[in-house]
Amino acid sequence: EVQLQACGGGLVQAGGSLRVSCVVSGFTGDSYTVGWFRQAPGKEREAVSCITQSNGRTYYADSVKGRFTISGGSAKNTVDLQMNSLKPEDTAVYYCAARFGTYLYTSDYRYWGQGTQVTVSS
């Protein structure tokens, strides 16, 4: 059974840093992709970043490029999202998700972890 457990997040001032982590279990092999999504109040959920566990290719939304870094890989069962230079508009519930496949998917994830709140004060 595939399971994802998200942790981290919290409250930080603008310009600060936070890390959210996702512990992934239940996959056999490394042919899967892990993504981070976020949903702010009143807004649709959006893809923030993802990584292919087989070869470590990454995707970032334009809004977070240069500020966020995703790390993982099949040797680790944890996928981290390091968030630097945080802005108030980064405030949202962050979710990790996983799906089979080796592409940089931004949708149609099958497995989801619980959300973790990230709040950036101005």
Side-chain angles (χ1 to χ4, degrees), residues 12-73:
V12 68
Q13 288 188 330
S17 299
L18 284 174
R19 172 177 293 184
V20 289
S21 298
C22 182
V23 180
V24 183
S25 62
F27 280 99
T28 301
D30 59 7
S31 296
Y32 64 98
T33 298
V34 178
W36 280 98
F37 294 76
R38 67 186 181 187
Q39 186 165 22
K43 294 188 177 181
E44 293 188 354
R45 185 172 61 197
E46 63 173 339
V48 174
S49 181
C50 64
I51 185 168
T52 56
Q53 292 293 78
S54 60
N55 57 16
R57 288 186 301 147
T58 58
Y59 159 85
Y60 297 97
D62 287 343
S63 58
V64 306
K65 278 181 182 177
R67 301 188 297 121
F68 291 12
T69 302
I70 192 170
S71 60

Side-chain angles (χ1 to χ4, degrees), residues 45-108:
R45 185 172 61 197
E46 63 173 339
V48 174
S49 181
C50 64
I51 185 168
T52 56
Q53 292 293 78
S54 60
N55 57 16
R57 288 186 301 147
T58 58
Y59 159 85
Y60 297 97
D62 287 343
S63 58
V64 306
K65 278 181 182 177
R67 301 188 297 121
F68 291 12
T69 302
I70 192 170
S71 60
S74 59
K76 300 172 53 178
N77 68 341
T78 301
V79 174
D80 296 324
L81 184 68
Q82 177 67 40
M83 304 179 290
N84 299 328
S85 302
L86 283 161
K87 305 175 181 179
E89 51 263 44
D90 294 317
T91 295
V93 178
Y94 284 69
Y95 299 89
C96 63
R99 59 168 290 173
F100 290 103
T102 57
Y103 293 99
L104 294 171
Y105 306 101
T106 58
S107 64
D108 298 326

